[in-house]
Amino acid sequence: MGRVTVRRPVRKISATKDVRRPDALAAEEPLEIRVGGKALAVTMRTPGNDVELAHGFLLSEGVLASREDVAVARYCDGVDDQGRNTYNVLDIALAEGVAPPETGVERNFYTTSSCGVCGKAALDAVKLKSRFSPEKSEFAVSTDVLAKLPDTLRAHQKVFSSTGGLHAAALFDGDGNLAVVREDVGRHNAVDKVLGWALQEGRIPAADTGLLVSGRASFELVQKAAMAGIGLLAAVSAPSSLAAELAEENGMTLIGFLRGDSMNLYSGEQRVLGLG
């Protein structure tokens, strides 16, 4: 079902040596997501947890609200030049009564591993209304717990340790325990996998958890958290201006540059305990 890492020969050059050796690279393959047999989206992802990815993607697009909204998910079509299934095409059959996603000229569902919203033609098209208001989340966490989260996340990044080429996302509780960790070449894919896991586990809305990401906080990641009812998003790196704007609009807590005992709080101070 696809490989998470791929071995490739590399010539490693430094001031003291010049050697050839095999190197582990993070795998990147396309995944076509279909709904009811119709192609909806193509994303470049690290193979694995594809069903979670599709569930999370459809949650963030407002199509799904619970695991009962999906009748079945199955791999289909997609064969290589030797006739073997590539497991790169996934079809989601919605439960009876669940409305399929609307597509039109204003929306291009092609995504890449680096940015999931680049295909959307207008800013208004990505400001989706969540069924689960993140503003209502009473989740709170102390600065001491937040400070330890990046190291805890890194300890769970098994593939990153061997490749150095993957983003990670996790859901955590008020004590800093990680409920789930997922890695992917795309930061938005990693988040979709985490949210898809939560959806399948019956934990949406995820108002009792925070979302942690290993890289920057983009507009889309804030949107995905909001669509899952998550009130707090913490990022190891910087947020964008639109991410901060959307977090504030939705009554969310947004934390950036979470490194060691230092962090920047951009909105939602009420969910961070231990502030003076």
Side-chain angles (χ1 to χ4, degrees):
M1 283 183 53
R3 296 162 295 182
V4 177
T5 62
V6 177
R7 303 288 285 182
R8 297 279 298 181
V10 63
R11 183 175 178 180
K12 185 173 178 60
I13 302 170
S14 68
T16 58
K17 59 184 177 181
D18 183 344
V19 297
R20 297 179 185 273
R21 67 176 193 185
D23 191 29
L25 302 179
E28 183 175 26
E29 297 180 11
L31 176 68
E32 179 180 314
I33 299 174
R34 298 179 181 177
V35 175
K38 294 184 178 181
L40 176 67
V42 176
T43 186
M44 300 301 297
R45 95 303 189 194
T46 299
N49 305 111
D50 291 334
V51 175
E52 291 177 352
L53 193 163
H55 278 66
F57 175 77
L58 293 174
L59 168 68
S60 67
E61 293 298 327
V63 179
L64 304 181
S66 72
R67 58 188 172 187
E68 287 76 21
D69 289 341
V70 175
V72 66
R74 64 183 182 89
Y75 288 100
C76 57
D77 295 315
V79 296
D80 60 19
D81 54 7
Q82 297 182 20
R84 297 173 300 190
N85 197 322
T86 61
Y87 296 99
N88 285 338
V89 181
L90 187 69
D91 189 25
I92 303 292
L94 300 177
E96 185 176 355
V98 178
E102 297 181 4
T103 57
V105 294
E106 79 283 352
R107 181 63 198 268
N108 176 359
F109 277 94
Y110 175 75
T111 68
T112 72
S113 59
S114 60
C115 178
V117 299
C118 297
K120 299 186 180 182
L123 185 59
D124 288 344
V126 295
K127 288 192 174 181
L128 302 176
K129 181 174 177 60
S130 176
R131 308 184 198 193
F132 315 110
S133 173
E135 189 173 13
K136 296 180 180 179
S137 170
E138 297 180 357
F139 177 77
V141 63
S142 70
T143 54
D144 290 340
V145 168
L146 285 167
K148 297 174 182 177
L149 284 174
D151 287 341
T152 303
L153 180 62
R154 178 60 63 86
H156 285 78
Q157 290 182 253
K158 298 178 180 179
V159 184
F160 179 87
S161 298
S162 61
T163 67
L166 291 180
H167 296 281
L171 292 178
F172 63 93
D173 64 19
D175 295 322
N177 301 308
L178 304 186
V180 59
V181 178
R182 293 292 182 261
E183 294 181 280
D184 200 277
V185 287
R187 60 175 60 87
H188 69 283
N189 288 335
V191 171
D192 279 340
K193 289 178 178 181
V194 162
L195 299 185
W197 173 88
L199 188 76
Q200 291 183 304
E201 292 293 317
R203 298 183 61 166
I204 295 296
D208 59 345
T209 62
L211 175 63
L212 173 67
V213 295
S214 61
R216 64 184 179 87
S218 65
F219 176 95
E220 186 190 25
L221 298 194
V222 174
Q223 174 195 297
K224 288 180 181 294
M227 294 298 284
I230 295 172
L232 185 148
L233 170 61
V236 173
S237 192
S240 68
S241 61
L242 282 178
E245 177 184 316
L246 187 63
E248 187 171 32
E249 286 180 3
N250 282 274
M252 296 172 62
T253 300
L254 179 62
I255 297 167
F257 293 105
L258 181 58
R259 300 169 184 175
D261 60 358
S262 176
M263 66 195 76
N264 288 356
L265 181 55
Y266 294 90
S267 62
E269 294 184 6
Q270 74 276 12
R271 294 189 183 89
V272 181
L273 308 176
L275 299 177

